[in-house]
Amino acid sequence: MSRIKEKFNQLKSKKETALISYIMVGYPSEKTTLAAVRGLIQGGSDIIELGFPFSDPIADGPTIQMASTESLNNGTKIENFFTIVKKIRKESNIPLVLMTYTNILYNQTYLKFISRAKQAGIDGLILPDMAIEESKEYVKAAKKIGMDTIFLVSPNTEKDRLKQIIKSTSGFLYMVAVFGTTGVQTKIHKYTLDALKNTKYAAKGKIPVGVGFGVSTEKDVQKYVSSGADAVIVGSANIKIIENTPTNKIQTRIATFTKRLKNKTR
Amino acid sequence: MKIGIPKDGRFGEFGGKYIPETLAPAIEELEKNYLKIRNDKNFKKELGRLLIDYAGRPTPIYFAKNLTKTIGGAKIYLKREDLLHGGAHKINNTLGQALLAKRMGKKRIIAETGAGQHGVATAMACASLGLKAEIYMGYVDTLRQKQNVFRMELLGAKVHAVKSGSKTLKDAINEAMRDWITNVDSTYYLLGSAVGPHPYPLMVRDFQAVIGVEIKKQMKKIPNAVIACVGGGSNAIGTFYPLIDTNAKIIGIEAGGKGVKTKLHSAPLTAGKKGVLHGMMTYLMQDKDGQISETHSISAGLDYPGVGPEHAFLKDENRVEYKAVTDSEVIDAFLILTRTEGIIPALESAHAIAHAIKISKKMKKTESIVVTLSGRGDKDIDIVKEYLAKNVKNKRKI
């Protein structure tokens, strides 16, 4: 059983919703990445999403774009990324998900990249520009290696398409909350809650549904938890904290923030 | 070779639709609507009328007698897209897509632009059809093409200077896509080149194919060689596509910048590797990790790390030959054409002229070359002036 699946099973028996936390690797440095990961674990995050920067992140808003650019400017390479993952793996058994863009995998071939990621300790992949129509070879490679393929669905994804996406998804299904890119939003729309209901219905309890994009406050977390989400995904809010915190305080600040959010999932 | 409508949105292995899920319904709606109007007589009639009365089609094919004499080889003909309304081939596509957007009931149009030619052509089409236009343009490009920024604004478009990434065309596309993701219901994304997710490469090729269709009609016999410049590749695919099944030699010219052996160029077909960007699988300039490289070209319109998927396909099929010429060769060609024919070409088009000069010398005087002169060079005169001031070698030639 994959680490992600196991985690969701555990949480289910405790009647808890998963808190999934995203950070960008290499922003602002390798050292702070490890500090932030420790803070996330300390604060009670259930699954960690590690962003690997891409030069052209079309699904990301200003905050994550900035973190990508900084990370690349700091010289983050795929080799560094795998080294960091291995370091985290020495300290923790927490499920780790890699979020990046298709070209990073395509460049090395899906099979080769995924097997290296698996070896380093990655459990699942999120590629916001991997459409279901183009995913055959990618899903095949991931299946062969035992890597979860976490697909995204949107509030405007139609029923038949949703079914098709669910078929190729493992780990959890990532529901994008808003029409837009990643980043802090101010309110929760009715269309998002309707979409969550429909997505949960289509998933039939076979695959957990996580909500992300614009989830940043305790109130957001609470609202999605009470609306039936199996997981909430917080990203840009973490990046903002890291951006505004001196290096030596990143771990504690991230831990405090994460703990507050996690409390709303219990 | 029959290409037609690409199966599953792919030209051979190239193309596809690698897009965020939020765009999937919009792309599907676009594909459905486009395939419907593609053979619609009324749509064709309406667009045909606009192309004649508004854009100024057909454009002439001009025998460049003086240039031919100066070079002393094959006869060089110019397909004068520079004479179109707005000064470039871009209007062929923007009228087609704006008309489609209108039929789809979309009122807000967004577009990206490099040199500003597509932005201007979009602003014109939108003004004439009563649509609202917003144009994304890399900050660096807004500085080197100030005049086009003001032209767009005069035409009623809103111009957003994009300050992310390398601040050029690729970043303008990123930002336009982000806008589209955010405003997917109300907005039509009017892509300007034969790039992006399916059906854009097909649609842009179809709208630009009027260039090649006219060349075929206007030339008494099929030319021995046909040449066009390739950035994203819209004027080139429009020139090439109708001539694919003839025996003309077809050559696409990429921006060699300071040389394809340096990193300062924009020639993915000559020196790139397969990858995925902006919704398509194609040849890209990228590093070992798959990060997209910063590109360089003297012409903003060719300064792009990718290329249309149909070009990638035609390269791998060995039907079209792709070559690169350097900035310095481009300036030479720009000066030669200007002096011999009194035609100031866009720096983009001067790439094609540069290669025509190279090969015509080696061809027989009875043979013929058609070069697509995709745009006029008024927008580039400051860049040329600056280049000449810095490069004494060329300055002496004046």
PDB file of all heavy atoms in Angstrom, chain A residues 110 114 130 132 134-145 147 149 151 167-169:
ATOM      1  N   TYR A 110       9.549   9.784 -18.893  1.00  0.00           N
ATOM      2  CA  TYR A 110       8.723   9.554 -17.701  1.00  0.00           C
ATOM      3  C   TYR A 110       9.284   8.437 -16.838  1.00  0.00           C
ATOM      4  O   TYR A 110       9.407   8.568 -15.619  1.00  0.00           O
ATOM      5  CB  TYR A 110       7.278   9.215 -18.107  1.00  0.00           C
ATOM      6  CG  TYR A 110       6.550  10.329 -18.831  1.00  0.00           C
ATOM      7  CD1 TYR A 110       5.980  10.137 -20.084  1.00  0.00           C
ATOM      8  CD2 TYR A 110       6.423  11.583 -18.237  1.00  0.00           C
ATOM      9  CE1 TYR A 110       5.302  11.159 -20.737  1.00  0.00           C
ATOM     10  CE2 TYR A 110       5.753  12.615 -18.882  1.00  0.00           C
ATOM     11  CZ  TYR A 110       5.193  12.396 -20.135  1.00  0.00           C
ATOM     12  OH  TYR A 110       4.532  13.402 -20.774  1.00  0.00           O
ATOM     13  N   ILE A 114      10.559   9.039 -13.043  1.00  0.00           N
ATOM     14  CA  ILE A 114       9.703   8.518 -11.970  1.00  0.00           C
ATOM     15  C   ILE A 114      10.453   7.487 -11.129  1.00  0.00           C
ATOM     16  O   ILE A 114      10.340   7.470  -9.909  1.00  0.00           O
ATOM     17  CB  ILE A 114       8.385   7.945 -12.544  1.00  0.00           C
ATOM     18  CG1 ILE A 114       7.570   9.082 -13.188  1.00  0.00           C
ATOM     19  CG2 ILE A 114       7.551   7.276 -11.452  1.00  0.00           C
ATOM     20  CD1 ILE A 114       6.351   8.645 -13.965  1.00  0.00           C
ATOM     21  N   MET A 130      -0.541  18.406 -17.025  1.00  0.00           N
ATOM     22  CA  MET A 130      -0.704  17.079 -17.630  1.00  0.00           C
ATOM     23  C   MET A 130      -2.193  16.804 -17.792  1.00  0.00           C
ATOM     24  O   MET A 130      -2.887  16.483 -16.836  1.00  0.00           O
ATOM     25  CB  MET A 130      -0.041  16.018 -16.743  1.00  0.00           C
ATOM     26  CG  MET A 130      -0.274  14.589 -17.206  1.00  0.00           C
ATOM     27  SD  MET A 130       0.273  14.260 -18.886  1.00  0.00           S
ATOM     28  CE  MET A 130       2.024  13.937 -18.613  1.00  0.00           C
ATOM     29  N   ILE A 132      -5.497  14.780 -19.107  1.00  0.00           N
ATOM     30  CA  ILE A 132      -5.796  13.349 -19.105  1.00  0.00           C
ATOM     31  C   ILE A 132      -5.568  12.725 -20.497  1.00  0.00           C
ATOM     32  O   ILE A 132      -5.091  11.602 -20.613  1.00  0.00           O
ATOM     33  CB  ILE A 132      -7.242  13.106 -18.574  1.00  0.00           C
ATOM     34  CG1 ILE A 132      -7.443  11.639 -18.235  1.00  0.00           C
ATOM     35  CG2 ILE A 132      -8.314  13.625 -19.503  1.00  0.00           C
ATOM     36  CD1 ILE A 132      -6.753  11.200 -16.985  1.00  0.00           C
ATOM     37  N   GLU A 134      -3.328  13.303 -22.592  1.00  0.00           N
ATOM     38  CA  GLU A 134      -1.916  13.126 -22.946  1.00  0.00           C
ATOM     39  C   GLU A 134      -1.188  12.228 -21.949  1.00  0.00           C
ATOM     40  O   GLU A 134       0.022  12.091 -21.992  1.00  0.00           O
ATOM     41  CB  GLU A 134      -1.203  14.489 -22.982  1.00  0.00           C
ATOM     42  CG  GLU A 134      -1.948  15.595 -23.727  1.00  0.00           C
ATOM     43  CD  GLU A 134      -2.162  15.272 -25.191  1.00  0.00           C
ATOM     44  OE1 GLU A 134      -1.467  14.385 -25.725  1.00  0.00           O
ATOM     45  OE2 GLU A 134      -3.054  15.902 -25.806  1.00  0.00           O
ATOM     46  N   SER A 135      -1.951  11.613 -21.020  1.00  0.00           N
ATOM     47  CA  SER A 135      -1.302  11.026 -19.845  1.00  0.00           C
ATOM     48  C   SER A 135      -1.010   9.536 -19.922  1.00  0.00           C
ATOM     49  O   SER A 135      -0.474   8.961 -18.980  1.00  0.00           O
ATOM     50  CB  SER A 135      -2.186  11.284 -18.622  1.00  0.00           C
ATOM     51  OG  SER A 135      -3.382  10.530 -18.740  1.00  0.00           O
ATOM     52  N   LYS A 136      -1.335   8.906 -21.035  1.00  0.00           N
ATOM     53  CA  LYS A 136      -1.258   7.449 -21.118  1.00  0.00           C
ATOM     54  C   LYS A 136       0.125   6.920 -20.733  1.00  0.00           C
ATOM     55  O   LYS A 136       0.253   6.053 -19.861  1.00  0.00           O
ATOM     56  CB  LYS A 136      -1.614   7.013 -22.534  1.00  0.00           C
ATOM     57  CG  LYS A 136      -2.298   5.655 -22.571  1.00  0.00           C
ATOM     58  CD  LYS A 136      -2.850   5.371 -23.935  1.00  0.00           C
ATOM     59  CE  LYS A 136      -2.626   3.906 -24.275  1.00  0.00           C
ATOM     60  NZ  LYS A 136      -2.899   3.627 -25.683  1.00  0.00           N
ATOM     61  N   GLU A 137       1.128   7.467 -21.377  1.00  0.00           N
ATOM     62  CA  GLU A 137       2.490   6.973 -21.179  1.00  0.00           C
ATOM     63  C   GLU A 137       2.970   7.270 -19.750  1.00  0.00           C
ATOM     64  O   GLU A 137       3.622   6.443 -19.113  1.00  0.00           O
ATOM     65  CB  GLU A 137       3.396   7.682 -22.185  1.00  0.00           C
ATOM     66  CG  GLU A 137       4.677   6.972 -22.491  1.00  0.00           C
ATOM     67  CD  GLU A 137       5.577   7.875 -23.336  1.00  0.00           C
ATOM     68  OE1 GLU A 137       5.033   8.582 -24.225  1.00  0.00           O
ATOM     69  OE2 GLU A 137       6.778   7.907 -23.082  1.00  0.00           O
ATOM     70  N   TYR A 138       2.588   8.453 -19.265  1.00  0.00           N
ATOM     71  CA  TYR A 138       2.955   8.883 -17.912  1.00  0.00           C
ATOM     72  C   TYR A 138       2.339   7.960 -16.860  1.00  0.00           C
ATOM     73  O   TYR A 138       3.036   7.470 -15.957  1.00  0.00           O
ATOM     74  CB  TYR A 138       2.488  10.334 -17.743  1.00  0.00           C
ATOM     75  CG  TYR A 138       2.285  10.847 -16.330  1.00  0.00           C
ATOM     76  CD1 TYR A 138       3.354  11.010 -15.456  1.00  0.00           C
ATOM     77  CD2 TYR A 138       1.008  11.209 -15.890  1.00  0.00           C
ATOM     78  CE1 TYR A 138       3.147  11.501 -14.168  1.00  0.00           C
ATOM     79  CE2 TYR A 138       0.796  11.698 -14.612  1.00  0.00           C
ATOM     80  CZ  TYR A 138       1.873  11.842 -13.751  1.00  0.00           C
ATOM     81  OH  TYR A 138       1.667  12.328 -12.488  1.00  0.00           O
ATOM     82  N   VAL A 139       1.040   7.692 -17.001  1.00  0.00           N
ATOM     83  CA  VAL A 139       0.351   6.844 -16.020  1.00  0.00           C
ATOM     84  C   VAL A 139       0.912   5.422 -16.059  1.00  0.00           C
ATOM     85  O   VAL A 139       1.125   4.792 -15.019  1.00  0.00           O
ATOM     86  CB  VAL A 139      -1.178   6.851 -16.263  1.00  0.00           C
ATOM     87  CG1 VAL A 139      -1.880   5.821 -15.400  1.00  0.00           C
ATOM     88  CG2 VAL A 139      -1.748   8.242 -15.991  1.00  0.00           C
ATOM     89  N   LYS A 140       1.204   4.960 -17.268  1.00  0.00           N
ATOM     90  CA  LYS A 140       1.749   3.607 -17.431  1.00  0.00           C
ATOM     91  C   LYS A 140       3.090   3.484 -16.694  1.00  0.00           C
ATOM     92  O   LYS A 140       3.319   2.516 -15.958  1.00  0.00           O
ATOM     93  CB  LYS A 140       1.930   3.330 -18.924  1.00  0.00           C
ATOM     94  CG  LYS A 140       2.021   1.853 -19.258  1.00  0.00           C
ATOM     95  CD  LYS A 140       2.059   1.648 -20.773  1.00  0.00           C
ATOM     96  CE  LYS A 140       3.057   0.567 -21.124  1.00  0.00           C
ATOM     97  NZ  LYS A 140       3.429   0.628 -22.553  1.00  0.00           N
ATOM     98  N   ALA A 141       3.941   4.487 -16.890  1.00  0.00           N
ATOM     99  CA  ALA A 141       5.254   4.467 -16.237  1.00  0.00           C
ATOM    100  C   ALA A 141       5.103   4.514 -14.718  1.00  0.00           C
ATOM    101  O   ALA A 141       5.788   3.781 -13.988  1.00  0.00           O
ATOM    102  CB  ALA A 141       6.095   5.638 -16.730  1.00  0.00           C
ATOM    103  N   ALA A 142       4.186   5.371 -14.242  1.00  0.00           N
ATOM    104  CA  ALA A 142       3.996   5.522 -12.792  1.00  0.00           C
ATOM    105  C   ALA A 142       3.470   4.225 -12.178  1.00  0.00           C
ATOM    106  O   ALA A 142       3.911   3.809 -11.102  1.00  0.00           O
ATOM    107  CB  ALA A 142       3.038   6.673 -12.515  1.00  0.00           C
ATOM    108  N   LYS A 143       2.552   3.580 -12.882  1.00  0.00           N
ATOM    109  CA  LYS A 143       1.987   2.312 -12.390  1.00  0.00           C
ATOM    110  C   LYS A 143       3.078   1.272 -12.249  1.00  0.00           C
ATOM    111  O   LYS A 143       3.172   0.571 -11.251  1.00  0.00           O
ATOM    112  CB  LYS A 143       0.921   1.813 -13.372  1.00  0.00           C
ATOM    113  CG  LYS A 143      -0.471   2.221 -12.957  1.00  0.00           C
ATOM    114  CD  LYS A 143      -1.548   1.242 -13.440  1.00  0.00           C
ATOM    115  CE  LYS A 143      -2.894   1.753 -12.982  1.00  0.00           C
ATOM    116  NZ  LYS A 143      -3.742   2.199 -14.101  1.00  0.00           N
ATOM    117  N   LYS A 144       3.906   1.220 -13.283  1.00  0.00           N
ATOM    118  CA  LYS A 144       4.972   0.219 -13.310  1.00  0.00           C
ATOM    119  C   LYS A 144       5.894   0.381 -12.098  1.00  0.00           C
ATOM    120  O   LYS A 144       6.351  -0.599 -11.515  1.00  0.00           O
ATOM    121  CB  LYS A 144       5.757   0.395 -14.614  1.00  0.00           C
ATOM    122  CG  LYS A 144       6.732  -0.718 -14.871  1.00  0.00           C
ATOM    123  CD  LYS A 144       7.346  -0.625 -16.244  1.00  0.00           C
ATOM    124  CE  LYS A 144       8.549  -1.557 -16.314  1.00  0.00           C
ATOM    125  NZ  LYS A 144       9.378  -1.251 -17.477  1.00  0.00           N
ATOM    126  N   ILE A 145       6.138   1.644 -11.740  1.00  0.00           N
ATOM    127  CA  ILE A 145       7.098   1.909 -10.683  1.00  0.00           C
ATOM    128  C   ILE A 145       6.435   1.979  -9.298  1.00  0.00           C
ATOM    129  O   ILE A 145       7.098   1.885  -8.277  1.00  0.00           O
ATOM    130  CB  ILE A 145       7.872   3.200 -11.026  1.00  0.00           C
ATOM    131  CG1 ILE A 145       8.825   2.883 -12.183  1.00  0.00           C
ATOM    132  CG2 ILE A 145       8.671   3.752  -9.855  1.00  0.00           C
ATOM    133  CD1 ILE A 145       9.220   4.059 -12.980  1.00  0.00           C
ATOM    134  N   MET A 147       4.170   4.576  -8.343  1.00  0.00           N
ATOM    135  CA  MET A 147       4.106   5.996  -7.960  1.00  0.00           C
ATOM    136  C   MET A 147       2.662   6.451  -8.113  1.00  0.00           C
ATOM    137  O   MET A 147       2.021   6.131  -9.113  1.00  0.00           O
ATOM    138  CB  MET A 147       5.008   6.789  -8.915  1.00  0.00           C
ATOM    139  CG  MET A 147       5.006   8.282  -8.717  1.00  0.00           C
ATOM    140  SD  MET A 147       5.888   8.802  -7.238  1.00  0.00           S
ATOM    141  CE  MET A 147       7.596   8.630  -7.729  1.00  0.00           C
ATOM    142  N   THR A 149      -0.333   8.839  -9.065  1.00  0.00           N
ATOM    143  CA  THR A 149      -0.546   9.935 -10.026  1.00  0.00           C
ATOM    144  C   THR A 149      -1.750  10.743  -9.567  1.00  0.00           C
ATOM    145  O   THR A 149      -2.881  10.277  -9.647  1.00  0.00           O
ATOM    146  CB  THR A 149      -0.788   9.403 -11.447  1.00  0.00           C
ATOM    147  OG1 THR A 149      -1.765   8.364 -11.375  1.00  0.00           O
ATOM    148  CG2 THR A 149       0.465   8.846 -12.063  1.00  0.00           C
ATOM    149  N   PHE A 151      -4.138  13.577 -10.130  1.00  0.00           N
ATOM    150  CA  PHE A 151      -4.622  14.476 -11.182  1.00  0.00           C
ATOM    151  C   PHE A 151      -5.441  15.606 -10.581  1.00  0.00           C
ATOM    152  O   PHE A 151      -5.963  15.497  -9.479  1.00  0.00           O
ATOM    153  CB  PHE A 151      -5.459  13.706 -12.197  1.00  0.00           C
ATOM    154  CG  PHE A 151      -4.635  13.010 -13.233  1.00  0.00           C
ATOM    155  CD1 PHE A 151      -4.150  11.728 -13.008  1.00  0.00           C
ATOM    156  CD2 PHE A 151      -4.319  13.643 -14.428  1.00  0.00           C
ATOM    157  CE1 PHE A 151      -3.370  11.085 -13.952  1.00  0.00           C
ATOM    158  CE2 PHE A 151      -3.535  13.007 -15.382  1.00  0.00           C
ATOM    159  CZ  PHE A 151      -3.063  11.722 -15.145  1.00  0.00           C
ATOM    160  N   LYS A 167     -10.384   7.566 -12.915  1.00  0.00           N
ATOM    161  CA  LYS A 167      -9.832   6.256 -13.287  1.00  0.00           C
ATOM    162  C   LYS A 167      -8.306   6.253 -13.299  1.00  0.00           C
ATOM    163  O   LYS A 167      -7.676   5.249 -12.991  1.00  0.00           O
ATOM    164  CB  LYS A 167     -10.343   5.866 -14.682  1.00  0.00           C
ATOM    165  CG  LYS A 167     -11.429   4.810 -14.639  1.00  0.00           C
ATOM    166  CD  LYS A 167     -11.653   4.264 -16.036  1.00  0.00           C
ATOM    167  CE  LYS A 167     -13.137   4.074 -16.278  1.00  0.00           C
ATOM    168  NZ  LYS A 167     -13.464   4.025 -17.707  1.00  0.00           N
ATOM    169  N   SER A 168      -7.718   7.367 -13.698  1.00  0.00           N
ATOM    170  CA  SER A 168      -6.255   7.428 -13.800  1.00  0.00           C
ATOM    171  C   SER A 168      -5.586   7.948 -12.532  1.00  0.00           C
ATOM    172  O   SER A 168      -4.371   8.055 -12.469  1.00  0.00           O
ATOM    173  CB  SER A 168      -5.846   8.330 -14.965  1.00  0.00           C
ATOM    174  OG  SER A 168      -6.291   7.780 -16.171  1.00  0.00           O
ATOM    175  N   THR A 169      -6.406   8.324 -11.544  1.00  0.00           N
ATOM    176  CA  THR A 169      -5.855   8.945 -10.339  1.00  0.00           C
ATOM    177  C   THR A 169      -5.579   7.916  -9.251  1.00  0.00           C
ATOM    178  O   THR A 169      -6.360   7.000  -9.038  1.00  0.00           O
ATOM    179  CB  THR A 169      -6.851   9.994  -9.794  1.00  0.00           C
ATOM    180  OG1 THR A 169      -7.060  10.979 -10.808  1.00  0.00           O
ATOM    181  CG2 THR A 169      -6.318  10.677  -8.544  1.00  0.00           C
TER     182      THR A 169
END
